[in-house]
């Protein structure tokens, strides 16, 4: 008996400031990519980002983002977060209530 190949692709798109994310879904994606890719992290861009430059481009390791979002969810009791950055260009989030 011959079986057809099962192909599936998954994409972890880079986040950007002003974007709202579902924390549980994003953490699940981060864990998947941490386990199954050779990459160690992903990028998040802030409002200063200019394409093909490094200004406003922030790289975070998967473990760092997983801890960040787990802590954020626990502290704020919310399932969604709005991506923001501080004046010093550090990652922050604001809780989004449904």
């Amino acid at each position: 008996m011959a079986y057809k190949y099962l192909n599936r692709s998954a994409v972890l798109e880079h986040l950007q400031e002003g974007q709202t994310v579902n924390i549980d879904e994003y953490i699940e994606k981060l864990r998947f990519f941490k386990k199954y890719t050779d990459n160690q992290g992903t990028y998040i861009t802030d409002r200063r980002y200019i394409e093909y430059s490094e200004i406003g481009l922030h790289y975070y390791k998967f473990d760092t983002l997983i801890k960040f979002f787990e802590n954020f969810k626990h502290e704020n009791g919310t399932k969604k977060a709005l991506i923001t950055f501080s004046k010093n260009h550090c990652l922050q989030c604001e809780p989004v209530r449904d």
Side-chain angles (χ1 to χ4, degrees), residues 11-14 26-43 59-70:
V11 176
L12 179 65
E13 296 192 13
H14 303 300
Y26 194 65
I27 289 172
E28 187 176 332
K29 283 183 182 181
L30 291 171
R31 287 186 176 137
F32 176 85
F33 276 86
K34 178 184 172 197
K35 185 174 182 179
Y36 293 109
T37 66
D38 295 331
N39 296 333
Q40 295 184 12
T42 187
Y43 290 97
Y59 184 80
Y60 297 93
K61 290 191 173 187
F62 293 134
D63 286 331
T64 303
L65 287 175
I66 290 168
K67 288 178 187 175
F68 176 84
F69 283 110
E70 284 177 341

Side-chain angles (χ1 to χ4, degrees), residues 56-92:
L57 187 63
H58 307 272
Y59 184 80
Y60 297 93
K61 290 191 173 187
F62 293 134
D63 286 331
T64 303
L65 287 175
I66 290 168
K67 288 178 187 175
F68 176 84
F69 283 110
E70 284 177 341
N71 290 339
F72 181 83
K73 180 182 172 186
H74 177 71
E75 291 173 4
N76 294 286
T78 184
K79 292 185 178 187
K80 292 186 179 179
L82 176 69
I83 305 298
T84 60
F85 284 85
S86 70
K87 292 178 184 177
N88 296 330
H89 312 295
C90 296
L91 179 63
Q92 292 182 183

Side-chain angles (χ1 to χ4, degrees), residues 4-15:
K4 291 184 179 182
Y5 293 105
L6 177 62
N7 292 323
R8 186 60 136 186
S9 63
V11 176
L12 179 65
E13 296 192 13
H14 303 300
L15 296 180

